[in-house]
Amino acid sequence: MARMAEPREDTRAKFDDVLAKRPDFADRLARRLIVWLHREGHAAIEDLYRDARSRIGRDLPQEDDPNRPADVPAEPEDRIALQAVVFERAATVMSPEQVQDVVDALRRREEAESLESLAALPDIPYGVLSAAVRRFAGLPRGDETLAPAQTTGIRVTLTRHFISDQLEFIGVAKRFLGTADFDWILDRIVGFDRGQGRIGGKAAGMYLGWKILQGASKEHAGSPVADVHLPESWFLRSDVIEAFIRHNRLDEYQSQKYKDPEEIRTEFPLIRELFRNGEFPHEIVGKLDHLLERIGQRPVIVRSSSLLEDRFGAAFSGMYASIFLGNQGPRRERLRALLNAIAEVYASTLAPNPLLYRRRHDLVDYQEDMAILIQTVVGRPHGRYYFPDCGGVGFSRNEYRWSPRLKGEDGVARMVYGLGTRAVDRTGNDHSRMVALGAPRLRPEVTPAHVARYSQKQVDVVDLAADAFRTVGLADLLAEGDGAHGLEEAASVRTRDAIVEPTGVLHGVPADKLVLTFDKLLGRTRFAALMKERLQRLEEAYDCPVNIEFASVDGKFYLLQCRPLVQAEAGVSRGIPRGIAREKQLFSTRGLVRSGDVRAIDYVVFVDPRAYDGLPSAEARNEVARVVARVNDALEGKTFVLMGPGRWGSVDSRLGVKVSYADINHCAVLVEVAYRTGDYVPEVSYGTHFFQDLVEDGIYYLALYPDEETTVFSEGFFRFSDNALSRISPRDAAYERVVRVIPVADAAPGRLLHLAMDGEAGEALCWLE
């Protein structure tokens, strides 16, 4: 038998040092070294056992003796002898660095087992569990990774503790979040040291989406698709709202979700004021004050991140408040503004829209805890204004295809210059740029005049001088100085006959000659192609279509939100019937149409566009919205079509009925009636929060242009049929001239009202049968 080599002194010293610090480590370390020696071919396990037994003079069993037990050291002296043999043998073949690798792996296993045990406790305080996560994340990886089953179990448990308990989210997150990623989250959590809570849906989706794209960096050797950034972010945990409510004795309002819709609408202004005037626990105030010291005087946004938000099956698009803060001036004033903004977001959990949305989606009994996402605003200053080069929303599926060249799987984006709020809100008479990501230069507008007409005119910014969020005209923005950032890639120049990309700088070009087209950005950079690929990778990871919010500044792409895109189930259309007599057709339209049939419609609720336009004041127009809300409540359970002028949900009541989701959520179809002449008007609802709410609830949307020659619009039926408003909502009888509630059974005895929609053909027809 060959003589064994002499042990290395440096390795022997390493063993002595390790065991002096951790005497209890000897047994586990010996077991791991046995595996290492066997795996590396330095010593068979059975030989090590035999050497140990021989060293203490025990009889050795005959080889392959079926009548003797296995040769496994069981007595204390056996184990001590085995340790001596193993350490001696290992010292002959291992370097101190290799020993340290094994020790690191053992420590990692120990910490993993401890972390797994702690995380399994239902009432473990935040401070204890977060300390265990940090210890684990700070350990060297050692010469081996943990068993996949063990790491997966840890990731799932930590996701449930700190992020989300929704199984669909956990199913995605466990494949992309490592344990070290929770350390990143914990470094940014604001909350009670002994509390328990999560960071909420919006924060969770943003971080998971970023990690999915970062994973692509490893898989695709630094692909630019992974060149994505996050704003500086902090998470006010979901348990803080519970303490805020208890601290201010607001518990009685937690039952609002079970009240009648009219009560919810009536009482919310009072609740909002009570929340605004509430006080926060001192521990939270101190931590937020420290956070503002870190942020400095950079603009911030306070965003909702409810545990219910951005879920699979219910996105809560735009349901809760998000508040921009200029964050200028003395810290005491900035802290007061931050606390007020957080209270405002808390109050929005009891607003009509989210409460009735929860009721509609069978989430009313779920405990609604609101976390808060605090972020620095993506952007840079231009004079007194602060804003990004562009912002908006992206969808991995495009259901708004205005050309046969477009493919649904290529995705679509809505882009604006400045803050992306104008891309998701129904803001006045302005427009965003719709971009088919597979053909980004292909526009829905036909002529240069229409490109200019349906382009963005106003820009959302943070006004640093006024310490507030503002909307300013492009001319006012440019007046702050030459060369507003990002304008070179966003703006085109309008000539007498065309709209052209600028060939140089835009210095000196009048604002009224600039058209925000993004043609240069979309035509001369990879912006659209990268957006398309990012959305596709996110959809693949989520295994469903996704929706993101983004901002871009100085060539850097920031992910602000990522969530599953809730889509209504594809309706089955029987096709558009042919041969229906003209007098039986109530209306027809072409354009953005989703396939489906609505049969046996009970009521048509018609807001007369001409009567609405003739109302004398904004208050009168706003009252029409309240009338519509009461009719909507009264017709719950009935099948009804809601029709009216312009942009439903617009913030400007002159352009359409100023309703919210909760005011129309029971209708089967929403029809926007737009009197106009000329070529095609681009559909401006698709991709907004308002539109997404309709989609999620399975409400069909149609745009109707009565002035078009190919459109059928039986105006007499809608204007002169018997009006049941006073029976449906007696208190609103004074508005019968404007709001008409038409029972089909009374208006057309013996007939049924049907609506057929063919998405492929882009046609819809409503007729009496």
Side-chain angles (χ1 to χ4, degrees), residues 525-585:
T525 75
R526 297 195 61 207
F527 184 90
L530 290 174
M531 172 83 81
K532 174 184 171 182
E533 193 168 346
R534 286 169 181 143
L535 287 167
Q536 288 174 340
R537 288 187 182 173
L538 290 168
E539 178 176 309
E540 181 180 353
Y542 272 87
D543 196 27
C544 70
V546 296
N547 164 212
I548 67 169
E549 293 186 14
F550 67 90
S552 179
V553 61
D554 198 21
K556 292 184 177 179
F557 184 91
Y558 287 82
L559 183 67
L560 307 181
Q561 190 167 351
C562 178
R563 60 189 176 196
L565 177 59
V566 182
Q567 294 182 302
E569 294 184 10
V572 178
S573 175
R574 306 178 193 183
I576 305 298
R578 305 302 175 188
I580 302 291
R582 183 75 177 220
E583 63 271 15
K584 294 182 181 179
Q585 299 179 30

Side-chain angles (χ1 to χ4, degrees), residues 324-403:
F324 287 92
L325 300 174
N327 194 33
Q328 306 296 297
R331 201 160 92 206
R332 175 179 290 185
E333 294 178 9
R334 293 189 285 123
L335 177 61
R336 184 184 302 113
L338 176 61
L339 293 172
N340 288 343
I342 293 170
E344 180 83 16
V345 176
Y346 283 168
S348 70
T349 63
L350 300 176
N353 278 351
L355 291 185
L356 297 181
Y357 181 93
R358 289 173 61 187
R359 190 175 296 180
R360 177 97 174 195
H361 290 266
D362 293 328
L363 293 169
V364 71
D365 298 322
Y366 193 92
Q367 179 64 35
E368 168 68 311
D369 283 340
M370 174 63 75
I372 300 289
L373 176 57
I374 301 171
Q375 296 178 306
T376 56
V377 177
V378 175
R380 46 181 167 161
H382 173 69
R384 65 186 289 170
Y385 301 131
Y386 188 96
F387 56 94
D389 299 349
C390 71
V393 289
F395 301 85
S396 64
R397 295 282 161 166
N398 181 9
E399 302 302 327
Y400 177 38
R401 298 190 293 277
W402 56 88
S403 166

Side-chain angles (χ1 to χ4, degrees), residues 101-117:
D101 285 343
V102 175
V103 170
D104 289 343
L106 265 177
R107 291 177 59 204
R108 191 168 178 82
R109 281 178 175 271
E110 276 193 333
E111 290 294 342
E113 291 165 2
S114 173
L115 178 57
E116 197 169 16
S117 299

Side-chain angles (χ1 to χ4, degrees), residues 148-409:
Q150 186 175 26
T151 58
T152 299
I154 293 173
R155 292 197 301 269
V156 167
T157 306
L158 293 179
T159 299
R160 188 175 287 114
H161 263 283
F162 294 124
I163 300 181
S164 172
D165 64 350
Q166 192 186 20
L167 294 178
E168 294 91 339
F169 180 89
I170 292 173
V172 179
K174 70 183 181 184
R175 295 187 285 121
F176 295 97
L177 296 185
T179 309
D181 295 318
F182 291 91
D183 191 37
W184 185 93
I185 293 171
L186 293 173
D187 281 343
R188 291 157 177 81
I189 279 182
V190 179
F192 300 104
D193 292 336
R194 297 190 58 81
Q196 289 182 319
R198 303 185 179 100
I199 65 174
K202 189 172 292 179
M206 176 195 71
Y207 187 62
L208 177 58
W210 181 70
K211 286 299 298 183
I212 290 169
L213 293 174
Q214 291 303 299
S217 179
K218 300 173 186 176
E219 298 158 14
H220 298 276
S223 164
V225 173
D227 188 14
V228 176
H229 304 267
L230 292 182
E232 290 189 59
S233 304
W234 295 269
F235 316 112
L236 187 64
R237 247 182 16 236
S238 61
D239 55 324
V240 177
I241 187 175
E242 298 174 10
F244 175 86
I245 288 172
R246 288 194 304 270
H247 189 76
N248 294 284
R249 299 182 179 180
L250 298 169
D251 307 73
E252 62 181 292
Y253 296 108
Q254 295 295 79
S255 61
Q256 288 296 110
K257 59 188 179 182
Y258 297 116
K259 291 186 177 181
D260 177 86
E262 186 68 12
E263 286 185 271
I264 293 173
R265 294 189 189 97
T266 302
E267 295 176 7
F268 178 64
L270 167 64
I271 294 171
R272 183 166 54 190
E273 286 305 310
L274 291 173
F275 273 73
R276 284 172 171 170
N277 292 312
E279 296 182 350
F280 283 80
H282 292 302
E283 182 181 348
I284 299 302
V285 173
K287 290 184 176 183
L288 290 172
D289 185 45
H290 179 66
L291 174 59
L292 285 179
E293 184 180 14
R294 291 179 60 184
I295 293 174
Q297 297 193 43
R298 289 176 290 169
V300 300
I301 179 172
V302 178
R303 309 178 72 192
S304 66
S305 188
S306 163
L307 299 190
L308 292 174
E309 208 165 355
D310 290 2
R311 295 167 64 88
F312 285 78
F316 286 80
S317 303
M319 292 286 173
Y320 303 110
S322 289
I323 300 171
F324 287 92
L325 300 174
N327 194 33
Q328 306 296 297
R331 201 160 92 206
R332 175 179 290 185
E333 294 178 9
R334 293 189 285 123
L335 177 61
R336 184 184 302 113
L338 176 61
L339 293 172
N340 288 343
I342 293 170
E344 180 83 16
V345 176
Y346 283 168
S348 70
T349 63
L350 300 176
N353 278 351
L355 291 185
L356 297 181
Y357 181 93
R358 289 173 61 187
R359 190 175 296 180
R360 177 97 174 195
H361 290 266
D362 293 328
L363 293 169
V364 71
D365 298 322
Y366 193 92
Q367 179 64 35
E368 168 68 311
D369 283 340
M370 174 63 75
I372 300 289
L373 176 57
I374 301 171
Q375 296 178 306
T376 56
V377 177
V378 175
R380 46 181 167 161
H382 173 69
R384 65 186 289 170
Y385 301 131
Y386 188 96
F387 56 94
D389 299 349
C390 71
V393 289
F395 301 85
S396 64
R397 295 282 161 166
N398 181 9
E399 302 302 327
Y400 177 38
R401 298 190 293 277
W402 56 88
S403 166
R405 292 169 54 189
L406 303 181
K407 299 177 181 178
E409 60 270 23

Side-chain angles (χ1 to χ4, degrees), residues 25 29 32 36 39 94 96-110 135-146:
F25 218 39
L29 179 56
R32 295 311 305 161
W36 189 93
R39 186 185 66 203
M94 296 180 76
E97 292 75 20
Q98 289 173 312
V99 174
Q100 187 62 52
D101 285 343
V102 175
V103 170
D104 289 343
L106 265 177
R107 291 177 59 204
R108 191 168 178 82
R109 281 178 175 271
E110 276 193 333
R135 282 197 306 272
F136 181 78
L139 290 173
R141 292 194 61 82
D143 69 341
E144 61 183 3
T145 59
L146 297 173

Side-chain angles (χ1 to χ4, degrees), residues 26-48:
D27 199 40
R28 297 191 72 183
L29 179 56
R31 290 203 300 269
R32 295 311 305 161
L33 290 172
I34 289 171
V35 173
W36 189 93
L37 290 167
H38 183 88
R39 186 185 66 203
E40 299 297 323
H42 296 296
I45 292 176
E46 59 270 21
D47 290 340
L48 294 171

Side-chain angles (χ1 to χ4, degrees), residues 398 400-413 433-444 519 522-523 528-529 532:
N398 181 9
Y400 177 38
R401 298 190 293 277
W402 56 88
S403 166
R405 292 169 54 189
L406 303 181
K407 299 177 181 178
E409 60 270 23
D410 285 343
V412 66
R433 172 70 197 269
M434 293 289 290
V435 183
L437 297 175
R441 297 297 297 269
L442 186 63
R443 302 185 62 111
D519 283 350
L522 297 170
K532 174 184 171 182

